[in-house]
Amino acid sequence: MTTPRVTFYHAPNSRSGGTRALLEELGVEYDMHVLNFSKNEQRQAEYMAVNPMGKVPAIWHRGELVTEQPAVFIYLADLYAAKGLAPGLDDPLRGPYLRWMVFYGSCFEPAVVDRSMQREPPKPSTCPYGDFDTMYNTLVSQLERGPYMLGERFSALDVLWGNALHWMTMFRLAPELPVVRAYIDRVITRPAMQRAASKDAELAAALAA
């Protein structure tokens, strides 16, 4: 049975770069709609009709929209389960896999944004991530178990976290500890990750021309 192709909404140098890297890791065919952020295409009516939030990544599949980066990752890795980038429902690693996938959007990004904007976070008892140091130390502790987020097993989690940490440390939004740097290098040097980065660089240059 053939799986209908995914339509992927993407802009280079954005969060959706991680989704493009995941699609490269999966090695599947898809249809891509490119948005030029310099022309504010993500806020124009055509795309707002797709995703009223005006954000990428977004995918359209079987008549339904999936947005929010962790949800897109979970969906794609499960859709192409035969590629082995997501533990199955009966795998003991499924719980940790979901934990760290959701941790990204519920704890990591809010903490990094608050810190970068120099916002005073709410009290730990009401803050979704507690406090930045606790959040980051929790993540680092998981990385120290390495070499990947699920130990010896590479998964879609690593595409998400390797890409995110690469950008966050590049712009000094998260501490570049030795264990974090080693993890980033381990992930972004993978052939599929390199292909995705190269394709995105070409796409960004074409849009800027």
Side-chain angles (χ1 to χ4, degrees):
M1 186 175 183
T2 303
T3 301
R5 285 163 67 119
V6 165
T7 298
F8 168 44
Y9 295 87
H10 173 55
N13 298 323
S14 75
R15 286 178 182 84
S16 62
T19 300
R20 187 170 200 181
L22 177 60
L23 288 164
E24 285 291 327
E25 285 282 356
L26 290 168
V28 297
E29 294 184 347
Y30 56 92
D31 298 314
M32 186 167 71
H33 285 229
V34 177
L35 300 170
N36 190 334
F37 277 16
S38 68
K39 295 182 178 179
N40 208 35
E41 289 180 353
Q42 75 276 21
R43 295 293 176 186
Q44 294 178 10
E46 183 178 358
Y47 186 61
M48 295 293 282
V50 174
N51 182 7
M53 295 294 288
K55 299 180 355 180
V56 291
I59 60 172
W60 190 266
H61 188 237
R62 294 172 177 160
E64 296 294 339
L65 179 69
V66 183
T67 68
E68 312 315 312
Q69 189 163 229
V72 170
F73 270 59
I74 292 169
Y75 188 92
L76 289 174
D78 284 346
L79 178 64
Y80 300 106
K83 302 294 183 175
L85 291 187
L89 291 176
D90 58 349
D91 191 318
L93 289 175
R94 182 69 180 190
Y97 170 79
L98 293 176
R99 174 198 177 191
W100 291 109
M101 194 67 80
V102 174
F103 189 91
Y104 174 80
S106 62
C107 295
F108 179 77
E109 266 214 8
V112 169
V113 170
D114 281 350
R115 191 170 189 255
S116 68
M117 299 295 290
Q118 299 182 339
R119 296 172 180 158
E120 191 66 33
K123 295 185 298 183
S125 60
T126 58
C127 183
Y129 55 85
D131 63 84
F132 184 89
D133 289 341
T134 298
M135 180 283 298
Y136 204 64
N137 289 338
T138 300
L139 171 62
V140 170
S141 294
Q142 185 69 15
L143 294 179
E144 286 173 341
R145 300 180 184 184
Y148 299 113
M149 287 293 287
L150 297 180
E152 296 294 327
R153 179 172 179 176
F154 178 84
S155 72
L157 274 179
D158 301 298
V159 182
L160 174 70
W161 282 103
N163 188 69
L165 288 168
H166 173 58
W167 284 98
M168 295 298 189
T169 56
M170 181 189 302
F171 291 103
R172 299 183 179 179
L173 300 178
E176 190 176 316
L177 304 176
V179 66
V180 174
R181 183 70 256 168
Y183 173 74
I184 293 169
D185 291 343
R186 197 175 299 124
V187 174
I188 67 172
T189 55
R190 291 174 60 87
M193 299 290 286
Q194 292 286 294
R195 286 197 306 272
S198 178
K199 289 178 179 180
D200 250 19
E202 292 177 4
L203 178 58
L207 292 177

